[in-house]
Amino acid sequence: MPIAKTPFSVQVLLREDEISSGFAAAFARRFLDEKFFYWLPASVSAWVDLMSAPEYRNANRALRLLAASAPELLDLWREVDALCGLGCGEGSKDRVVLEKFKQFGKPLAYTAVDFSQSLLELALAAADGAASTARGIKLDIMSDNHLQALSGQGNSCIFATLGNTLGAFDPLQFPERLRRIMRPTDRALFDGELFDRESTLSGYDNPTNRRFAFGPLAALGLTERDGELNFELRPGRHGIHEVAKYFVAGRNLELRIGATVMHLEKDEKVLMSSSIKYDEPVFFALIERGGFEVELRRKSEDGKFLLAGAKPRY
């Protein structure tokens, strides 16, 4: 007899046919946005594997830093009764927050928010038993209308952007966009990886992460025999840096995206979204410039990862 599972609901603001047409349009531009790396089954499977891979140190850094900072968050934010995970992924970071609040007798209502139906299901399953209630919302976080739909949760809601996800949402613009939907009683959590010229690239150019980065191309039937996947460290200006990635076709390729047939010529590039890294003062300054007062500033034990707890400034 199959094991009964706790049911949950997902509100859909973004349909699968919209994602599919967006994927085809992105490939036609030869630039795959961040969201497409979490959509198809091959990508989701690769992401879940990456979260437990020892080579990918950010997952462990984020989890340990959240757990260590939770008692202070509980003390700072006594009135909080809801958690909204923005780009929740498989839900492991949000679960740390939910579990810590529940341990202190303050279970939170949980809203998991992501582009991927599969990841929403995983996040809601992970929250089972740790949240007072749980629901999912499938949307495009880059849409202001979709983001506005998240406002007004509980009496006081933590909006959590965890797992170095701020960079995927545009660190120059997203804090201000988030601030506009928040009430004075709401709070925000952001984390991010510090830039290190010596070690940053090695955390990404490894077999497990290469499989994840190749996920959208694998969904089109490509393998690494069809071309080369490249990672490059690009030190930036003004304290914001990136690990860039791109695919170079090794031969002429014919690809099918739904009913659409596309061609990729030999030596043609398909660019992919970069992973953003920060200088420490810049990370906190970006949040403050977005209209927040940073109440908590914490760093991981190895000094490579940051966590900020903030309230909207009025």
Side-chain angles (χ1 to χ4, degrees), residues 174-230:
F174 184 72
E176 182 179 356
R177 291 180 61 229
L178 178 61
R179 160 65 181 75
R180 289 200 295 265
I181 74 163
M182 292 174 62
R183 303 161 299 182
T185 55
D186 292 332
R187 299 294 181 261
L189 276 174
F190 302 94
D191 66 13
E193 182 184 353
L194 286 175
F195 174 71
D196 182 345
R197 190 181 298 272
E198 300 301 321
S199 64
T200 293
L201 188 61
S202 63
Y204 288 81
D205 194 1
N206 58 71
T208 309
N209 192 58
R210 291 183 73 87
R211 179 181 163 230
F212 167 66
F214 207 85
L217 301 175
L220 299 175
L222 297 180
T223 72
E224 291 208 46
R225 293 190 297 273
D226 294 311
E228 185 177 2
L229 179 63
N230 296 278

Side-chain angles (χ1 to χ4, degrees), residues 61 64-73 76 189-192 194 280 283-284 294-301 303-309:
R61 287 168 175 157
R64 291 172 64 88
L65 186 54
L66 276 169
S69 304
E72 190 169 355
L73 289 174
L76 276 173
L189 276 174
F190 302 94
D191 66 13
L194 286 175
E280 184 171 344
F283 174 76
F284 294 112
V294 177
E295 299 182 288
L296 178 141
R297 301 166 187 254
R298 291 292 175 267
K299 187 185 294 188
S300 62
E301 292 177 357
K304 301 293 180 63
F305 211 75
L306 300 172
L307 178 69

Side-chain angles (χ1 to χ4, degrees), residues 19 30 53 68 129 151 165 197 241 263 311:
I19 299 175
R30 302 298 190 258
S151 64
T165 303
R197 190 181 298 272
H241 314 274
H263 294 88
K311 63 180 180 181

